[in-house]
Amino acid sequence: MRNEFNDLISEGNDSVDATNIMIERWQDIGTDPDEALVFWLALAATQWKIGRLDERTKEKALSIIENGNDLLRWYHENDPKGIARMPG
């Protein structure tokens, strides 16, 4: 994803246009909540690292982080028997 976004920027797209293209290209993941989490967090990290964090992407990523869905996914993947308890 990082390379794809960087390629779009190097082709002359601004962050908003590149984000729109990424959303269109990756639209199939919208039906899978777990994949959507990964998409938005990875896109936000990529944009932030190159100094082009789009406001919409930032809001999506912060929402995911604030509501804890990213941690919930991690706990389920790494603790399938439910031994550990989620903080909070």
Side-chain angles (χ1 to χ4, degrees):
M1 178 174 299
R2 178 181 4 189
N3 291 339
E4 188 174 345
F5 185 81
N6 288 333
D7 289 346
L8 290 167
I9 295 297
S10 67
E11 291 169 4
N13 294 289
D14 65 17
S15 294
V16 173
D17 289 339
T19 300
N20 289 336
I21 293 167
M22 293 289 292
I23 291 168
E24 186 176 316
R25 288 181 181 173
W26 292 80
Q27 65 183 331
D28 291 342
I29 65 163
T31 59
D32 183 339
D34 288 339
E35 292 301 320
L37 293 175
V38 172
F39 172 83
W40 287 109
L41 293 175
L43 185 58
T46 298
Q47 290 179 352
W48 179 78
K49 285 180 182 178
I50 64 170
R52 292 178 174 256
L53 184 56
D54 171 89
E55 190 62 31
R56 172 181 44 177
T57 304
K58 176 182 169 184
E59 288 176 14
K60 290 273 193 181
L62 287 175
S63 175
I64 290 166
I65 293 166
E66 288 171 0
N67 70 29
N69 285 342
D70 57 328
L71 289 178
L72 184 61
R73 178 179 189 253
W74 185 87
Y75 271 94
H76 286 295
E77 286 179 359
N78 294 289
D79 185 23
K81 294 183 180 181
I83 297 168
R85 298 213 179 244
M86 259 193 61

